[in-house]
């Protein structure tokens, strides 16, 4: 069965590596847990998410970058922002933006689909049709 990428790519999309897929899957599972309790998220929830994903993914993903960091930064053993760390944080950040955008869109649609129109819709009609 062909994957979505091969079906939609028309030859121009790039297949993600297993490390990228693993990073996205871990970020997705963590974001779903955060979305379940979205009403009282901590202030630095996305930073915590990046840290958690990095801790889970770092031992087994991006082996070539780990080797590169060890070879390049021999003197700095306590390097915090090596290439792999930056890459995992960027992937997590981009995926979280996509996820939260979709989550907020679905959540807003559920509110609008209720029987009563939203306050925004009421005020919009009020302004457009002049106090009717």
């Amino acid at each position: 069965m062909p994957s979505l990428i091969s079906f939609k790519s028309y030859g121009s999309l790039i297949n993600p590596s297993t490390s990228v897929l693993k990073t996205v899957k871990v970020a997705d599972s963590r974001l779903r847990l955060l979305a379940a309790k979205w009403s009282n998220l901590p202030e630095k929830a996305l930073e915590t998410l990046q840290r958690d994903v990095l801790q889970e993914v770092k031992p087994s993903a991006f082996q070539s970058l780990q080797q590169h960091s060890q070879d390049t930064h021999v003197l700095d053993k306590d390097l915090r922002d090596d290439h792999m760390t930056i890459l995992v944080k960027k992937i997590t950040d981009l995926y979280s933006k996509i996820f939260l955008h979709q989550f907020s869109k679905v959540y807003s649609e559920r509110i609008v689909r209720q029987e009563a129109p939203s306050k925004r819709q009421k005020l919009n009609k009020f302004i457009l049709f002049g106090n009717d």
Side-chain angles (χ1 to χ4, degrees):
M1 178 171 208
S3 68
L4 179 64
I5 291 175
S6 62
F7 183 71
K8 291 285 190 177
S9 79
Y10 304 110
S12 61
L13 291 179
I14 298 171
N15 289 326
S17 69
T18 56
S19 298
V20 172
L21 288 175
K22 183 175 182 176
T23 304
V24 169
K25 285 180 183 180
V26 170
D28 184 63
S29 65
R30 303 289 172 124
L31 277 166
R32 289 183 188 277
L33 292 174
L34 285 175
K37 54 182 179 180
W38 69 269
S39 60
N40 57 353
L41 282 178
E43 191 171 309
K44 298 188 178 203
L46 293 180
E47 291 175 17
T48 305
L49 172 74
Q50 286 179 342
R51 189 186 69 239
D52 292 346
V53 170
L54 185 63
Q55 285 178 341
E56 190 168 334
V57 169
K58 193 168 187 170
S60 61
F62 300 106
Q63 295 298 325
S64 61
L65 281 179
Q66 286 180 0
Q67 185 63 37
H68 168 73
S69 293
Q70 290 172 356
D71 293 344
T72 307
H73 306 287
V74 175
L75 299 176
D76 193 5
K77 297 290 183 189
D78 194 32
L79 185 66
R80 291 182 179 215
D81 288 337
D82 59 343
H83 299 288
M84 193 191 101
T85 304
I86 293 169
L87 184 61
V88 170
K89 284 182 177 181
K90 190 68 171 175
I91 292 169
T92 305
D93 183 49
L94 290 172
Y95 183 75
S96 62
K97 285 180 184 177
I98 293 168
F99 181 90
L100 293 173
H101 177 76
Q102 181 64 24
F103 176 77
S104 61
K105 184 177 177 182
V106 169
Y107 184 76
S108 296
E109 286 176 0
R110 286 183 185 163
I111 291 174
V112 171
R113 269 194 247 141
Q114 291 177 352
E115 295 295 324
S118 66
K119 288 183 181 180
R120 180 180 179 139
Q121 187 178 12
K122 281 182 185 177
L123 291 174
N124 191 22
K125 300 290 184 189
F126 184 73
I127 290 170
L128 290 175
F129 298 115
N131 303 333
D132 287 340

